[in-house]
Amino acid sequence: MSLLARPAAVPRRGVLRLAIGALAVMTAAGCGRITLGGPEEYTPPPPGIDDLFRIDLLTALERALAGTEQVIAVHDPGTEEPALSATLTTLAAALPIQRTALLTAAQREKEDEAREDPAPGQTPSPVPADAPTDPAGLLETLVELRDLATDAARQVSGSLARPVVAIAAHTAWIAQRLADTGALGEVRPPTSAEQIVATREVPATDPPSIGAESDYHTSIEQTQQEEWYAAYLHEVLAARTEEEAREEHLGQVEVHRTRAEELALLAEQDGAPVVPRQAVYALPGGTLDAQLAGRLPTLLAQGLLIDHVALTGAAPFERRPLPIAAALEEAVRLAGMVDALEPLPSLEVEGPPARS
């Protein structure tokens, strides 16, 4: 006699019932409820950190644009205040481009469709109730936009951080230009690197955005090199000038050396290339004539602005405060040097859709 137990015979109909029951258990356990007759109602995922900041930034940009248009219409500095008029014109041209840069593909498509095939009775968007109506109010609005973009650049994904910090830098530049050309007094300085911290709780469903390590390493290496080089050239310029100009250059030597040292420390901690300071660097073109010496501070500030915007987009979240603050500092310096700056420094500019 065999000691192995034989399985009990189960009628075929019973097997079918067991299989259906097992399938029901599997469905309930692993696949969720199934509704017969059609798909369930779609529930969109909760907004992520990019969406939350994008909504606020678009609102702030639209308020600034409406305020700029109102200030131009009401005050119209014209020929009496040509510098202020030029600043307002520059701002009015830049804000729509920056707004377009923040739109998602779906938002752009929706606006394109509305423009090409407007709905019957479609009217222009109303002017925000809190839009400023005078230059002082507009300056305050720009400072708020600058600070919001600064906060956003610290927390959003890398792909969004670069245009956002570019907007922050341009806004810092144009706010200083507006204060200077409109005789509006001192502008509250941008946030320092130590003060740039995460200001918003990131939704639990938001996946962290981690860029390519090679891009970060390349960018931080490049920025170290440029900071050391800028420090050396300002030292050369200091030796060729006197009094206030000399002190200004020596101050910049300290700024750039400090940044280079801080970047080198971060690079060492992150396994990126560390760029040591060289005793001597080659001068542009081999010699430094008076004309080039006069342009050099502007060229250095423009190059460093681009370097730090790029580094912000490539760096991990906790490494962004330094390049964000540096980009804003260089933008403010450029306000006294140039009367034109790309709306999105270091990025290709795409024309905005028509406003509805």
Side-chain angles (χ1 to χ4, degrees):
M1 174 185 287
S2 172
L3 298 178
L4 295 177
R6 293 175 178 271
V10 179
R12 185 173 178 181
R13 187 175 301 172
V15 172
L16 183 59
R17 283 199 300 268
L18 289 173
I20 293 174
L23 179 60
V25 171
M26 291 172 61
T27 299
C31 302
R33 182 169 56 87
I34 294 178
T35 302
L36 299 179
E40 288 195 80
E41 182 179 350
Y42 172 68
T43 302
I49 194 70
D50 283 12
D51 303 305
L52 295 172
F53 270 117
R54 182 183 282 111
I55 291 168
D56 289 347
L57 285 166
L58 287 171
T59 300
L61 281 165
E62 288 165 359
R63 178 176 173 234
L65 180 54
T68 302
E69 293 172 345
Q70 290 193 140
V71 171
I72 291 174
V74 172
H75 293 273
D76 190 17
T79 57
E80 295 182 5
E81 299 175 274
L84 176 58
S85 181
T87 299
L88 293 171
T89 300
T90 298
L91 180 58
L95 289 168
I97 294 172
Q98 294 168 350
R99 178 182 178 277
T100 300
L102 292 182
L103 296 177
T104 64
Q107 287 171 325
R108 289 193 190 189
E109 183 178 355
K110 183 178 180 180
E111 291 195 359
D112 289 342
E113 291 176 353
R115 185 176 69 256
E116 295 170 2
D117 185 19
Q122 180 173 313
T123 59
S125 301
V127 175
D130 57 351
T133 57
D134 57 40
L138 180 57
L139 177 60
E140 182 180 350
T141 298
L142 291 175
V143 170
E144 292 173 0
L145 172 60
R146 179 200 69 189
D147 292 347
L148 175 62
T150 299
D151 289 345
R154 168 61 181 80
Q155 285 192 267
V156 297
S157 63
S159 59
L160 186 58
R162 185 163 180 174
V164 166
V165 76
I167 290 171
H170 185 276
T171 306
W173 172 80
I174 199 71
Q176 187 63 56
R177 293 282 299 174
L178 179 63
D180 293 342
T181 58
L184 300 175
E186 296 292 325
V187 181
R188 178 164 52 82
T191 311
S192 67
E194 294 74 20
Q195 296 170 320
I196 298 176
V197 296
T199 59
R200 208 164 207 160
E201 184 176 350
V202 179
T205 55
D206 212 36
S209 173
I210 302 174
E213 185 180 80
S214 60
D215 292 342
Y216 170 50
H217 286 187
T218 299
S219 188
I220 198 170
E221 180 181 17
Q222 164 84 11
T223 309
Q224 288 176 78
Q225 291 172 339
E226 296 303 323
E227 288 287 2
W228 284 127
Y229 190 51
Y232 176 78
L233 290 181
H234 275 289
E235 191 172 28
V236 171
L237 293 172
R240 298 172 54 142
T241 53
E242 298 177 352
E243 299 178 349
E244 292 184 9
R246 173 182 169 81
E247 292 303 315
E248 168 68 18
H249 287 303
L250 290 176
Q252 286 302 300
V253 171
E254 188 63 29
V255 167
H256 296 305
R257 282 183 181 169
T258 300
R259 282 189 202 154
E261 290 167 354
E262 292 174 347
L263 289 168
L265 179 60
L266 297 180
E268 182 178 14
Q269 294 172 351
D270 296 342
V274 176
V275 179
R277 174 187 171 190
Q278 298 180 24
V280 179
Y281 292 84
L283 295 175
T287 59
L288 199 59
D289 58 30
Q291 183 179 9
L292 180 55
R295 295 176 53 224
L296 206 49
T298 300
L299 296 175
L300 290 173
Q302 289 172 327
L304 286 168
L305 171 56
I306 291 173
D307 288 333
H308 283 288
V309 167
L311 179 55
T312 299
F317 295 109
E318 66 276 9
R319 301 309 194 198
R320 292 181 187 172
L322 193 159
I324 292 171
L328 297 177
E329 289 169 7
E330 296 302 328
V332 172
R333 272 181 55 76
L334 284 168
M337 299 175 175
V338 297
D339 56 10
L341 186 68
E342 292 295 329
L344 297 168
S346 87
L347 295 166
E348 291 293 328
V349 174
E350 182 175 320
R355 283 168 61 82
S356 58

